[in-house]
Amino acid sequence: MKRLAFIPLLLLAFPAMPDDAALTPVEDITPIIRDLEQKMSSLESVYLEFTQERHLSLFAEPLKSSGVMLIARPDRIRWETTRPYGSILLGDSKSVAQFELVDGRWNKLKIGFREMLKQVMEQMVLMHQGRLDALTRDYEISIATGDVAVITLTPKDKDVRSMLSALDVIMEPDYSATREVVMKEPGGDFTRIVFDREIRNKPLPEDSFDLSKP
């Protein structure tokens, strides 16, 4: 069951850092985690525009998509793909909902593994709120710094690692913003999400997170 929990995250997932980026591992990450959480504590909401590339060994070119992500305290998230198709995933601590645009109309989909998908959405919210300490139950966390700051989350569960070998969260050197995320899979496939634009504490309409309609 744990293994299946990450299937939605692989489909959603977060350009990679330059190969020649000089990074130095941080021995004691505790102060950084505390500082990051403190910096993000005043973040009530965040609006993100993203482009995504899914790199699969079966295809010569990556599968590309783009969209927006909205996150609002305490636990609400909206992940919307706008190109090449329309899809919306909504979640909070109580439930999740998914919609798909078909022939100009939004259809609500029946979601399998609802509780596991809800857990994945919660983890995404925690990451964007800088609450890395809350993820230590499920991940080993390491940090390296240089021209960028890279936070690497490695799943503790071996079944999860069979699908997700590591997740790199690439941030500004001062941890002021997330540039991109790279999800690595054991077979060499990976997903990149580049955050092209970020607006913090942007007023978000309440109906942006309405689980009953898109």
Side-chain angles (χ1 to χ4, degrees):
M1 295 292 283
K2 291 181 180 178
R3 184 173 182 174
L4 291 173
F6 283 81
I7 291 177
L9 186 55
L10 288 172
L11 297 175
L12 292 175
F14 287 33
M17 73 191 103
D19 292 336
D20 58 353
L23 299 173
T24 302
V26 176
E27 293 187 9
D28 183 6
I29 67 172
T30 303
I32 293 177
I33 291 178
R34 290 175 178 170
D35 181 58
L36 182 59
E37 185 168 357
Q38 184 177 9
K39 285 180 178 178
M40 303 294 279
S41 63
S42 62
L43 186 64
E44 293 298 324
S45 67
V46 61
Y47 167 92
L48 297 153
E49 296 176 1
F50 69 85
T51 55
Q52 175 177 300
E53 292 183 357
R54 181 87 168 97
H55 291 257
L56 300 171
S57 57
L58 296 176
F59 299 96
E61 297 294 329
L63 306 177
K64 298 181 179 181
S65 60
S66 60
V68 297
M69 182 165 63
L70 313 179
I71 296 177
R73 284 188 182 274
D75 55 20
R76 295 177 296 172
I77 183 171
R78 177 188 179 102
W79 182 282
E80 181 172 354
T81 300
T82 54
R83 295 182 181 180
Y85 54 86
S87 177
I88 298 173
L89 187 61
L90 299 162
D92 58 27
S93 62
K94 296 180 181 179
S95 189
V96 292
Q98 187 172 10
F99 300 86
E100 186 177 74
L101 188 62
V102 180
D103 297 328
R105 299 182 61 181
W106 287 104
N107 295 328
K108 190 171 185 177
L109 305 181
K110 184 176 181 180
I111 301 177
F113 309 107
R114 180 177 296 273
E115 286 303 313
M116 291 179 286
L117 178 55
K118 184 163 68 72
Q119 179 184 0
V120 170
M121 299 291 280
E122 290 171 353
Q123 291 174 344
M124 294 172 67
V125 171
L126 290 172
M127 282 190 285
H128 279 86
Q129 291 178 348
R131 296 171 58 190
L132 298 181
D133 58 330
L135 297 172
T136 55
R137 183 188 66 180
D138 299 315
Y139 298 93
E140 296 287 350
I141 300 176
S142 61
I143 299 175
T145 58
D147 294 336
V148 294
V150 181
I151 301 173
T152 299
L153 291 84
T154 303
K156 292 181 178 180
D157 186 88
K158 65 179 182 179
D159 291 331
V160 175
R161 288 198 305 275
S162 70
M163 297 183 65
L164 173 68
S165 57
L167 179 68
D168 287 339
V169 182
I170 303 168
M171 306 186 72
E172 296 289 347
D174 61 354
Y175 305 95
S176 60
T178 302
R179 290 185 180 180
E180 56 201 61
V181 175
V182 180
M183 179 172 291
K184 302 173 182 177
E185 300 171 39
D189 293 341
F190 62 95
T191 302
R192 297 174 174 174
I193 289 187
V194 183
F195 295 107
D196 305 303
R197 186 183 182 201
E198 176 180 326
I199 303 177
R200 296 187 175 188
N201 294 322
K202 174 185 175 71
L204 303 174
E206 281 296 319
D207 60 3
S208 299
F209 306 98
D210 189 340
L211 275 70
S212 64
K213 59 183 181 180

